């Protein structure tokens, strides 16, 4: 069911205040989430060293792949088609959407558990622990997107605060155990606590039995978004695995360490991403001629912010860096420039991606993501073979900037098509 545009418009000042409020809650929520993730990453890096941190990073990127499967099938269609006041349609859609996320977590969690038990060694226990925790992790993320689709970002923020509070005692226990698997379990268990709180906040129980119906209803968008999202996170995973094979697991830890240095800015970028598609959908309903400008301001602002943050990181004294990342600092600091450029390119591209999602142009966004992912894997692994971790970072940065250009070319074409058919619904068939 598509939520239609409003018949009456709020005054311009009121609409701007509402937009700023929703964006502010998006930033606050992602700040809470990123502080938790940053704390976990820093603690593992300092406590267990670069090799163990590389193992943790492999589990992390695997979680990213599974998370994007869940978002593609469950929450991305929700934000495109049910962004609006939390009425009966929203409640029914959220029940089916969160049930789908929980089901994805159960199925893929079992796969990770079996794979981890079979792998053994250093990596196996971390993957087995991730498999046990995936249902709670995915359900917690689904609640966040559901609240932002309804415009109630405050609830998403509170949910992430609960996760962060629950994480503290869990980390204390994990530190005493002193293994990567223990940290993965602590991180996932605290997310499961927040997932349970999401049920209380919404008053909705996930309906796993209706997941098949949700997938059937949203198949025109869901399966394309699934391929798009998995190609994105899968590219990161392939690059991480390939980097580990070509250079060594320590190189994976170095790349992840450099990404942690960009953590505060990435928190802003990801916080905006929670609300960009719902906001772009609102702009499309209320003032479709403003969508291109909205996306340009969004993407351009993020790109400039990434470059400024990367420039600031270059001024960080070595001693301070070692205090934060320990032994990981030396190798991670060499990657600041290329990774900052890559994040800037990604930020520019997200503006166009939000516009394509709002337009329901799933075919175009899928083509863009497949191209960008192929470039990312090729650039990252080709660079690794030529120049190790530094070469991989530069190759990935060049690929990300190229992919961003393709996103904008596709958005321009999609906006032209939409202008020629102004009565068309936001959703595609």
């Amino acid at each position: 069911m598509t939520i239609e545009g409003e018949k009456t418009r709020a005054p311009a000042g009121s609409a701007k205040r509402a937009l700023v409020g929703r964006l502010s809650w998006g930033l606050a929520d992602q700040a809470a989430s990123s502080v938790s993730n940053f704390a976990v990453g820093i603690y593992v890096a300092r406590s267990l060293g670069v090799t163990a941190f590389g193992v943790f990073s492999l589990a992390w990127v695997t979680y990213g792949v599974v998370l994007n499967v869940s978002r593609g099938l469950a929450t991305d269609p929700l934000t495109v088609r049910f962004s609006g006041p939390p009425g009966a349609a929203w409640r029914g859609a959220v029940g089916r959407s969160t049930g789908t996320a929980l089901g994805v977590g159960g199925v893929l969690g079992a796969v990770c558990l079996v794979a981890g038990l079979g792998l053994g060694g250093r990596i196996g226990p971390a993957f087995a622990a991730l498999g046990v925790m995936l249902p709670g992790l995915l359900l917690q993320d689904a609640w966040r997107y559901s609240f932002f689709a309804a415009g109630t970002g405050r609830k998403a923020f509170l949910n992430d605060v609960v996760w962060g509070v629950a994480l503290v005692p869990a980390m204390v226990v994990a530190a005493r155990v002193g293994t990567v698997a223990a940290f993965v379990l602590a991180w996932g268990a605290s997310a499961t606590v927040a997932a349970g709180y999401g049920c209380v906040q919404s008053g909705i129980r996930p309906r796993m039995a209706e997941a098949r119906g949700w997938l059937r209803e949203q198949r025109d968008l869901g399966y394309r978004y699934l391929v798009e999202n998995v190609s994105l996170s899968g590219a990161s995973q392939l690059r991480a695995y390939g980097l580990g094979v070509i250079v060594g697991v320590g190189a994976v830890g170095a790349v992840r360490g450099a990404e942690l240095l960009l953590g505060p800015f990435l928190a802003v970028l990801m916080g905006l991403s929670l609300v960009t598609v719902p906001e772009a959908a609102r702009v499309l309903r209320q003032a479709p001629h403003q969508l291109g400008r909205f996306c340009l301001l969004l993407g351009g602002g993020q790109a400039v912010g990434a470059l400024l943050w990367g420039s600031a990181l270059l001024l960080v004294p070595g001693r301070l860096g070692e205090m934060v990342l320990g032994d990981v600092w030396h190798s991670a600091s060499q990657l600041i420039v290329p990774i900052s450029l890559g994040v800037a390119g990604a930020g520019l591209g997200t503006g166009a991606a939000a516009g394509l999602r709002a337009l329901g142009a799933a075919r175009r966004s899928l083509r863009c993501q497949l191209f960008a992912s192929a470039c990312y894997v090729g650039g990252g692994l080709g660079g690794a073979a030529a120049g190790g971790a530094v070469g991989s970072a530069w190759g990935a940065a060049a690929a990300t900037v190229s992919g961003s250009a393709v996103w904008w070319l596709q958005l321009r074409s999609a906006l032209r098509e939409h202008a020629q058919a102004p009565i068309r619904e936001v959703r595609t068939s």
Side-chain angles (χ1 to χ4, degrees), residues 319-346:
R319 288 185 179 181
L320 179 58
E322 291 176 357
M323 287 177 59
V324 175
L325 288 180
D327 294 339
V328 179
W329 164 255
H330 177 70
S331 53
S333 61
Q334 302 176 40
L335 310 180
I336 290 174
V337 173
I339 286 184
S340 297
L341 291 173
V343 172

Side-chain angles (χ1 to χ4, degrees), residues 291 356 359 364 408-422 424:
L291 181 60
L356 288 175
L359 289 164
R364 289 186 179 277
W408 279 100
L409 289 173
Q410 288 293 323
L411 177 61
R412 186 177 67 174
S413 298
L415 287 172
R416 188 181 300 117
E417 288 180 358
H418 184 80
Q420 294 171 354
R424 188 179 63 180

Side-chain angles (χ1 to χ4, degrees), residues 235 238-240 242-243 246-247 338 371-402:
L238 287 174
R239 180 203 174 193
L243 185 60
I246 296 170
V247 185
F371 173 82
S373 296
C375 289
Y376 184 82
V377 173
L381 296 186
V390 176
S392 179
W394 278 108
T400 303
V401 173
S402 300

